[in-house]
Amino acid sequence: MADERTMFDNLAEEINSMDDISEEVKQKLLANIMKAKDQPVNLLITGPTGCGKSSTINAMFNMEVAKVGVGVDPETTDIQDYQLGNLKIYDSPGLGDGKERDIAHAKKITELLHRRDSDGNALIDLVLVIVDGSTRDLGTTYELIENVIIPSLGEERHKRLLIAVNQADVAMKGKHWDSVNCRPDSVLTDFLNDKVRSIRERILANTGVHVDPIFYSAGYKEEGQAQTPPYNLSKLMLYILRAIPPKKRLVVIEQSNQNQDMWRKSDELEDYQREIKKSLSESVCEGVAKGSDIGGNIGGTIGGIFGSVGEKVGRVVGSVVGGVVGFVGGLLGGIFG
Ligand SMILES: Nc1nc2c(ncn2[C@@H]2O[C@H](COP(=O)(O)OP(=O)(O)OP(=O)(O)O)[C@@H](O)[C@H]2O)c(=O)[nH]1
Ligand SMILES: [Mg+2]
């Protein structure tokens, strides 16, 4: 990129130029932005060969990092990692590549999930298991989730796991996919909803863990042809943002694919968008709301101060984030503005 300015620089500049907040509040907000910028985020993306891990990573994030498979052989035979700023993405094969490989993969995933950072917290913020929506046989996927991942998640097992069914477009062999509008028709929508419901029920029954899978399509690109746009990728992004700690969300947004075509086609997202928007401005306002800290000095009521600073900061966050990922920002603008 020719422009070296980051989303965080833009945020800081906008906050700096706000002339209707006290210097003290301003310094606190700037410190929060610096803190948000420094948050390490670690995502593990896994799933069986060909489910679309690489395609998903490439569609969601800021560069062509992962090689997309073209043949029948697994492209990813070992855990790969991609460092994008403070965001690290681990791309790991799932199960189903033969007994010996499966054991090796399971061992590596288990190790990774047990790893702790220097504060003693789990290193991996979130595991995203990608399910191949075009196949009926989910045996190895369930094995991976139930016997490898969930037992390794410890106390955080209810929070650190996300399941997403990819290739929604070819889930019924491509029938019922409305390729003009790039979305499933009602028959395919029912089919996909049934699929995520059955995954949810099965995992709850077998492990007691409640997951809330979504379906999407990472889209695909064939040599010399235009990219078929993703579907529900913004929903997947919001799911990821919602599942990681609020203070880490800006780092992920900063690394998101800036090609807005990736984010356009999606189910309604309003509820998630509202929630994400709130968490983003809260992470920048952190501490400002706690009356004794700064509110007392200004002399207003705590609610009033948070309300007004929060609202102003929300608008700033909305416009800056909107410059990076339109679907978050446009919506932020809409709600704040
Ligand atoms: N139709 C369709 N094809 C997809 C989609 N996502 C991925 N593909 C195709 O599926 C094939 C495998 O995709 P990859 O992204 O390489 O899958 P992967 O999980 O990284 O595979 P390995 O690294 O080999 O384990 C490629 O031909 C992709 O173009 C999708 O949403 N729809
Ligand atoms: Mg791959």
Side-chain angles (χ1 to χ4, degrees):
M1 252 189 296
D3 187 359
E4 293 293 323
R5 292 174 57 84
T6 68
M7 181 187 82
F8 290 99
D9 296 333
N10 291 337
L11 256 182
E13 190 181 294
E14 290 288 326
I15 297 286
N16 237 329
S17 67
M18 285 169 77
D19 50 13
D20 47 359
I21 53 171
S22 74
E23 195 52 34
E24 201 172 354
V25 169
K26 193 179 278 186
Q27 289 313 318
K28 182 80 194 166
L29 295 173
L30 290 171
N32 285 345
I33 290 170
M34 292 315 288
K35 225 164 70 186
K37 182 183 176 177
D38 283 342
Q39 294 293 325
V41 182
N42 291 278
L43 303 181
L44 168 60
I45 298 184
T46 183
T49 295
C51 66
K53 299 177 290 294
S54 303
S55 304
T56 301
I57 294 168
N58 290 337
M60 290 187 83
F61 297 103
N62 218 351
M63 49 177 100
E64 281 263 317
V65 282
K67 192 168 190 303
V68 170
V70 283
V72 288
D73 289 333
E75 198 59 59
T76 314
T77 53
D78 199 354
I79 296 188
Q80 314 259 336
D81 56 67
Y82 309 104
Q83 185 84 49
L84 304 169
N86 274 341
L87 169 65
K88 192 164 189 171
I89 300 165
Y90 295 85
D91 174 350
S92 169
L95 304 181
D97 291 344
K99 196 164 179 194
E100 232 160 87
R101 278 189 172 176
D102 282 1
I103 292 171
H105 296 158
K107 190 161 170 258
K108 285 191 174 154
I109 291 171
T110 303
E111 268 168 19
L112 192 56
L113 290 177
H114 280 95
R115 227 183 272 171
R116 302 262 143 192
D117 65 18
S118 52
D119 297 328
N121 298 315
L123 176 79
I124 298 295
D125 294 294
L126 185 70
V127 185
L128 170 63
V129 178
I130 297 180
V131 177
D132 182 345
S134 71
T135 172
R136 282 176 173 278
D137 178 17
L138 299 185
T140 55
T141 302
Y142 283 129
E143 204 182 316
L144 173 71
I145 295 169
E146 294 171 357
N147 301 336
V148 179
I149 294 175
I150 289 180
S152 305
L153 289 175
E155 282 303 303
E156 297 112 334
R157 67 188 174 283
H158 298 281
K159 292 185 290 195
R160 276 204 290 161
L161 174 62
L162 222 60
I163 298 175
V165 178
N166 185 25
Q167 311 208 22
D169 56 329
V170 286
M172 295 180 84
K173 302 198 190 310
K175 286 178 206 155
H176 299 287
W177 179 254
D178 174 351
S179 53
V180 174
N181 297 303
C182 190
R183 48 159 40 214
D185 75 1
S186 64
V187 175
L188 182 54
T189 301
D190 288 348
F191 177 88
L192 292 162
N193 277 324
D194 270 355
K195 196 153 194 141
V196 297
R197 184 181 42 73
S198 95
I199 295 172
R200 182 170 57 234
E201 287 172 359
R202 146 98 196 222
I203 290 173
L204 185 63
N206 281 10
T207 67
V209 173
H210 183 88
V211 288
D212 192 15
I214 63 162
F215 54 83
Y216 75 107
S217 162
Y220 62 97
K221 190 169 176 356
E222 267 163 49
E223 198 70 40
Q225 294 198 344
Q227 159 96 32
T228 306
Y231 162 74
N232 264 0
L233 195 71
S234 7
K235 188 169 185 172
L236 179 60
M237 177 56 100
L238 288 172
Y239 260 81
I240 291 174
L241 292 173
R242 188 164 70 151
I244 62 176
K247 62 179 180 187
K248 298 193 173 208
R249 291 173 180 169
L250 279 167
V251 160
V252 176
I253 288 176
E254 195 198 15
Q255 298 303 330
S256 299
N257 197 333
Q258 293 184 30
N259 176 356
Q260 302 306 322
D261 288 342
M262 296 294 159
W263 308 109
R264 256 186 257 286
K265 301 284 180 186
S266 205
D267 295 348
E268 33 48 70
L269 298 164
E270 233 179 88
D271 288 352
Y272 312 117
Q273 283 167 320
R274 213 177 292 279
E275 188 185 323
I276 302 299
K277 157 230 108 179
K278 195 159 158 274
S279 79
L280 293 181
S281 62
E282 276 172 9
S283 68
V284 176
C285 287
E286 204 189 342
V288 175
K290 295 191 186 93
S292 56
D293 193 0
I294 279 163
N297 295 337
I298 300 173
T301 64
I302 296 161
I305 288 164
F306 184 55
S308 64
V309 173
E311 220 171 277
K312 282 174 195 147
V313 170
R315 227 170 281 137
V316 167
V317 172
S319 72
V320 172
V321 167
V324 182
V325 185
F327 80 92
V328 178
L331 172 268
L332 283 164
I335 288 173
F336 286 126

